[in-house]
Amino acid sequence: MVKIKLKIAIVQLNPQINQIANTENRAIKLLNKLKVHNLTPQLIIFPEFGLTGYNFHSKAQIEPYTTFNNKGYNYDFAKKVSNEFQCYTILGYPEKFISKETKKLSLYNSTMVINADGKLVHNYRKSFLYDTDEEWGCEENPIGFNKFELEFPVSQTTAGASANCNKVKVPSAIGICMDLNPYKFEAPFNDFEFSSFVLDNKVKLIICPMAWLNSLSVTKREQASDIAIKEKLHEITKLKKEMPFLCKPSENDKYSINLDNSSTTPRKESCENTEGPAFRDLNKPDMENVNYWILRFTPLLNINYRAKWWKQLKDIFVERGSNNEISSSILGVTKEKPWGFQDSNAILCMSNRCGIEEDNTVFAGSSGIYKFNGKDFTNEESTPLTLDSSNPSVELLGNLGKGEEGILYREVELEL
Ligand code: GLN
């Protein structure tokens, strides 16, 4: 077995549309906090559309902000960060791509991975699109979720592993925001498409750049006449007045700085959520969202019922035979064992944006680093384990607040 210590920094930004230079300056200011504390991240992760802002409504509006994956302001910024910190930089951006064969222009919601030499080592395109992506003609990733490798130094080798290699390739995957949801919100909730992909492909490093909304947002899916909506709009107007930095971030603002490796996020069961539509304590994570994100990783969570499910699902696995088209796990149950993830481990890094865009899009911030430890906590007498942050098989290593820009740094052990 090989052990590595991953040094991860997550930058939470509030990128407003048409404010790229300002956003870059604040990002650099946040990264400088690492230098002051002599912290040397191997991986720096920015949000979905980290520099551009998110709510674009037409192809014409977004086009000036789109760039190719290996040149332009997005690439230049990521390369600068990588060179300076000698690390991988992961940045969400609107991508333009021109096919060599057909000359057709395609737009994607993408994430670039730039290595310490400033080279693009991976480019992932969002597979499951959100309504806003569709408005500007974003195309779905034609190849869907995919796995790639990032190389990190080995910190410890145990019996059986070849002792003479000092670097190890870590199987990684990127999921951009809506990728964590059921496809188009229409697929069965229990398909858990992205987290099943993670399990089936033995991904150990899960990276999620996001522009995830807080439930206070009023989206097109909701009816403007509803009383509850009016209450939400009233609350947002109040927020904007009391805390103008939510719409107009500046370099003089207060940031959430969370660099203390020993501090973890207090757990909170889903049923304890009493916050309602109010958006307070901006320096604290939004546990309603945190709990939902954890729920979407159900296949990696330890739960009580899988032994029973395994017996019931056996016939389905036999019927499927060796058809590789179908993902091999169901709710975390595999053909081989009740819980495919048992005794494994994986790190989840979520870099979500914060702030308010336009009249009523409130983003959820609460970026965080989690470890799924693959341990079994169930026994016959125990009360069932819940599918939220109170589940001991997920460790909440740290989070940023819901409303402030900031930086989170953790050193995390991972076994391969
Ligand atoms: N469903 C997500 C949300 O509610 C998707 C947003 C996105 O893909 N950026 O925020």
Side-chain angles (χ1 to χ4, degrees):
M1 199 186 301
V2 172
K3 256 193 198 169
I4 60 171
K5 193 196 264 175
L6 281 176
K7 301 193 280 177
I8 306 162
I10 289 181
V11 185
Q12 178 165 299
L13 293 171
N14 174 2
Q16 294 287 323
I17 289 177
N18 204 16
Q19 296 290 323
I20 292 164
N22 290 340
T23 303
E24 286 186 3
N25 289 341
R26 297 195 311 282
I28 298 293
K29 203 170 162 184
L30 283 165
L31 287 171
N32 282 338
K33 308 271 179 201
L34 297 174
K35 285 200 186 147
V36 174
H37 292 85
N38 288 319
L39 300 173
T40 51
Q42 298 156 329
L43 192 64
I44 297 181
I45 310 169
F46 292 95
E48 175 180 17
F49 280 21
L51 301 176
T52 56
Y54 185 65
N55 280 0
F56 291 96
H57 301 295
S58 69
K59 201 167 185 163
Q61 188 196 5
I62 201 170
E63 259 195 280
Y65 299 95
T66 59
T67 59
F68 294 110
N69 62 24
N70 58 359
K71 54 174 175 258
Y73 70 93
N74 287 297
Y75 170 76
D76 290 344
F77 177 78
K79 181 180 170 193
K80 185 169 133 187
V81 173
S82 273
N83 285 340
E84 193 152 336
F85 286 89
Q86 284 300 296
C87 69
Y88 289 112
T89 301
I90 299 189
L91 173 67
Y93 72 106
E95 181 189 1
K96 68 174 160 192
F97 173 78
I98 298 172
S99 154
K100 280 205 180 85
E101 293 86 47
T102 63
K103 303 278 178 286
K104 178 184 171 272
L105 168 75
S106 297
L107 303 183
Y108 296 104
N109 179 332
S110 301
T111 294
M112 58 173 75
V113 182
I114 307 295
N115 71 8
D117 300 326
K119 292 213 170 64
L120 178 87
V121 291
H122 188 68
N123 185 56
Y124 171 72
R125 294 170 179 155
K126 194 173 186 176
S127 303
F128 293 3
L129 303 183
Y130 185 54
D131 306 5
T132 315
D133 303 314
E134 283 175 356
E135 281 185 46
W136 49 264
C138 181
E139 291 183 32
E140 280 181 5
N141 184 346
I143 60 166
F145 304 141
N146 53 77
K147 181 168 84 165
F148 62 104
E149 284 171 333
L150 292 180
E151 216 173 42
F152 295 99
V154 170
S155 58
Q156 201 184 323
T157 36
T158 49
S162 63
N164 56 353
C165 63
N166 53 7
K167 284 201 163 174
V168 64
K169 290 190 166 114
V170 178
S172 309
I174 295 176
I176 306 176
C177 209
M178 186 68 190
D179 282 334
L180 303 188
N181 269 321
Y183 180 59
K184 289 183 188 280
F185 296 118
E186 287 165 8
F189 193 87
N190 290 343
D191 281 358
F192 295 109
E193 298 97 317
F194 180 67
S195 48
S196 296
F197 172 87
V198 164
L199 174 61
D200 297 342
N201 292 279
K202 302 191 168 34
V203 168
K204 295 281 187 271
L205 178 59
I206 313 157
I207 300 165
C208 299
M210 314 206 289
W212 197 289
L213 278 56
N214 179 275
S215 56
L216 182 58
S217 297
V218 179
T219 64
K220 284 213 175 112
R221 287 174 184 259
E222 294 164 308
Q223 292 296 317
S225 57
D226 197 302
I227 304 239
I229 304 293
K230 287 208 177 108
E231 264 173 39
K232 289 214 259 179
L233 289 171
H234 181 254
E235 183 74 23
I236 297 173
T237 312
K238 207 169 97 192
L239 267 182
K240 288 205 267 194
K241 212 191 254 161
E242 284 167 14
M243 289 177 263
F245 63 87
L246 287 168
C247 310
K248 286 195 184 63
S250 92
E251 281 189 50
N252 306 320
D253 293 336
K254 200 157 107 348
Y255 295 118
S256 289
I257 311 293
N258 185 342
L259 311 175
D260 176 6
N261 216 43
S262 62
S263 96
T264 54
T265 305
R267 299 171 184 276
K268 190 173 177 186
E269 277 193 50
S270 310
C271 58
E272 292 173 54
N273 280 323
T274 48
E275 210 174 340
F279 191 79
R280 298 195 191 91
D281 299 327
L282 269 54
N283 59 349
K284 298 218 174 81
D286 178 341
M287 292 309 285
E288 197 179 313
N289 274 299
V290 169
N291 279 333
Y292 180 77
W293 295 327
I294 290 174
L295 170 66
R296 292 301 299 161
F297 282 89
T298 291
L300 309 191
L301 293 176
N302 184 211
I303 46 177
N304 301 58
Y305 316 107
R306 286 208 182 88
K308 274 185 205 151
W309 293 348
W310 192 45
K311 280 189 206 138
Q312 292 160 4
L313 291 169
K314 258 188 180 147
D315 293 345
I316 295 183
F317 286 123
V318 171
E319 248 169 60
R320 281 178 176 187
S322 58
N323 186 348
N324 292 331
E325 295 280 297
I326 306 168
S327 81
S328 53
S329 63
I330 301 171
L331 291 156
V333 180
T334 63
K335 192 173 163 188
E336 292 75 29
K337 51 183 179 174
W339 185 29
F341 192 71
Q342 183 158 3
D343 301 324
S344 183
N345 64 163
I347 305 297
L348 166 64
C349 312
M350 290 183 158
S351 180
N352 192 28
R353 64 158 295 173
C354 59
I356 300 181
E357 258 189 29
E358 299 184 312
D359 294 338
N360 41 30
T361 309
V362 184
F363 294 96
S366 315
S367 300
I369 301 176
Y370 308 82
K371 180 172 184 171
F372 295 100
N373 60 32
K375 290 183 191 157
D376 184 14
F377 295 88
T378 60
N379 69 55
E380 303 271 304
E381 294 92 55
S382 68
T383 47
L385 295 167
T386 49
L387 295 168
D388 58 27
S389 64
S390 69
N391 191 306
S393 66
V394 59
E395 297 166 23
L396 283 67
L397 302 176
N399 286 82
L400 291 171
K402 57 177 85 64
E404 294 173 356
E405 294 187 305
I407 187 156
L408 172 68
Y409 175 88
R410 288 292 182 271
E411 298 184 355
V412 187
E413 271 195 357
L414 178 66
E415 280 176 13
L416 297 163

